[in-house]
């Protein structure tokens, strides 16, 4: 199984983004396609769609930073909405903009979230479920990828995991890398969803 794993560049007031650090620190492997995305609505969606078309991964795990979270958040739902007050890294501020006016209101994650939750807890890593990934660029990428796979009738598991800032709940960068490797291992073991 080849898995596409993405992170994001720093944004807002954050000097670093652990999702970028983790994606960069993951070991190079033929089974892994790694990419850091810009925190720009239009570019992030286009880049990840083009990557999926070119690389045809068997699963997609997207990562981002949730600055307020004390733990890793397993996102359950992507919403068809861009809405923020701070703007993306180009200053594009979306106020109630639909991601795809023809698309459904939301999509469930198709990652094996319960198994991932269990695996992370077994490793003593702080983790929680989250109802949805917000309405900023992380949610945008989550929705765009789920929508693309759904429209193509694909069976690739895909979803989004938010990481806390390094240091939250005693989570070092090394532990976050270990956590993401654990997620990847569970996704591999579960295989395609149909
Ligand atoms: N977190 C932001 C965007 C990029 C990132 O890492 C979010 O939660 O939408």
């Amino acid at each position: 199984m080849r898995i596409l794993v993405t992170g994001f560049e720093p944004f807002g007031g954050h000097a670093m983004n652990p999702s970028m650090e983790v994606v960069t620190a993951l070991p190079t492997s033929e089974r892994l396609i790694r990419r850091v995305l810009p925190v720009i609505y239009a570019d992030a969606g286009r880049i990840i769609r083009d990557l999926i078309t070119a690389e045809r991964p068997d699963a997609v795990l997207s990562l981002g930073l949730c600055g307020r979270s004390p733990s890793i958040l397993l996102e359950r739902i992507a919403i068809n909405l861009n809405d923020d007050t701070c703007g993306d890294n180009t200053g594009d501020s979306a106020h109630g903009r639909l991601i795809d006016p023809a698309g459904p209101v939301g999509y469930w994650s198709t990652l094996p979230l319960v198994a991932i939750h269990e695996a992370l807890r077994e490793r003593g890593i702080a983790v929680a479920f989250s109802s949805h990934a917000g309405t900023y660029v992380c949610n945008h990428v989550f929705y765009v990828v789920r929508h693309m796979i759904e429209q193509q009738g694909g069976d690739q598991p895909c979803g989004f995991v938010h990481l806390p800032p390094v240091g939250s709940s005693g989570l070092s960068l090394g532990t976050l890398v270990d956590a993401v490797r654990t997620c990847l291992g569970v996704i591999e073991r579960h295989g395609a969803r149909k």
Side-chain angles (χ1 to χ4, degrees):
M1 179 182 248
R2 281 172 76 242
I3 304 177
L4 169 62
V5 54
T6 66
F8 276 106
E9 291 172 353
F11 66 100
H14 303 283
M16 65 147 358
N17 190 325
S19 67
M20 177 171 102
E21 310 291 330
V22 167
V23 165
T24 311
L26 285 170
T28 313
S29 152
E30 280 178 5
R31 303 211 307 277
L32 224 51
I33 306 149
R34 304 173 303 163
R35 181 62 65 98
V36 175
L37 301 170
V39 184
I40 301 173
Y41 289 107
D43 292 353
R46 180 182 44 76
I47 290 169
I48 198 163
R49 268 200 306 262
D50 288 352
L51 253 177
I52 291 170
T53 302
E55 300 282 351
R56 303 172 64 84
D58 302 302
V60 183
L61 172 63
S62 293
L63 307 168
L65 164 67
C66 179
R68 302 175 311 276
S69 181
S71 66
I72 289 176
L73 296 177
L74 308 180
E75 301 297 348
R76 285 193 164 115
I77 296 173
I79 301 176
N80 188 3
L81 178 64
N82 291 332
D83 191 55
D84 73 84
T85 49
C86 54
D88 68 11
N89 280 355
T90 64
D92 176 16
S93 217
H95 297 297
R97 190 167 69 205
L98 295 182
I99 295 171
D100 186 334
V105 67
Y107 286 109
W108 293 97
S109 171
T110 49
L111 294 178
L113 295 185
V114 172
I116 290 173
H117 187 266
E118 202 176 297
L120 291 175
R121 281 197 52 183
E122 272 171 15
R123 295 186 76 78
I125 296 170
V127 59
F129 292 103
S130 159
S131 301
H132 68 89
T135 53
Y136 192 38
V137 184
C138 289
N139 171 72
H140 182 87
V141 160
F142 183 9
Y143 186 92
V144 160
V145 176
R146 279 293 289 112
H147 190 52
M148 177 182 188
I149 290 174
E150 207 66 34
Q151 292 220 302
Q152 293 177 345
D155 62 1
Q156 307 95 308
C158 126
F160 202 96
V161 172
H162 265 117
L163 304 177
V166 170
S168 282
S169 306
L171 292 165
S172 65
L173 180 60
T175 307
L176 292 179
V177 173
D178 179 53
V180 171
R181 293 182 76 173
T182 301
C183 296
L184 293 168
V186 174
I187 294 166
E188 258 184 348
R189 280 198 298 283
H190 276 247
R193 68 190 166 103
K194 280 181 195 158

